Amino acid sequence: GGTLGVVLSVYLATVIGALTIFYSLLGVSLFVPVIGGLYSKRAGSTAALSAIVTGVVTLLALRVALGDTYRWLDPTLTGLLAAALVFAVTSALYARDGGDRR
């Protein structure tokens, strides 16, 4: 953990950069499952976990792969949209099959 902290501090160079990444990950991983769980009767744990994984992978892939090439494509917003899409599709598929609710 200490080594990872030192590597991140050298790589990011500012506290604001670290907080931006932290809150982007927090928002992408929690916003869609919490809102979907509150407002959807078909939501289950499979939909929430798939949304979390999709959102985080999309965020990290776009942040690392794009860099400054596409400044108009915000990785956080794209991660949220991808998570919402996967959440909706997974909820619809599992609700039709009886869902993963116990």
Side-chain angles (χ1 to χ4, degrees), residues 7 9 15 18-19 25-26 33 48 52-53 55 58 60 67 76 82 84 93 99 101:
V7 169
S9 68
V15 174
L19 288 174
L25 285 170
L26 186 68
I52 290 169
V53 169
T58 303
L60 293 177
T76 305
L93 288 175
R101 294 190 171 224

Side-chain angles (χ1 to χ4, degrees), residues 47-82:
L49 287 174
S50 61
I52 290 169
V53 169
T54 302
V56 169
V57 167
T58 303
L59 170 75
L60 293 177
L62 290 178
R63 189 173 292 274
V64 170
L66 294 182
D68 291 336
T69 306
Y70 297 98
R71 287 185 178 246
W72 57 271
L73 185 62
D74 185 34
T76 305
L77 181 61
T78 308
L80 281 170
L81 292 174

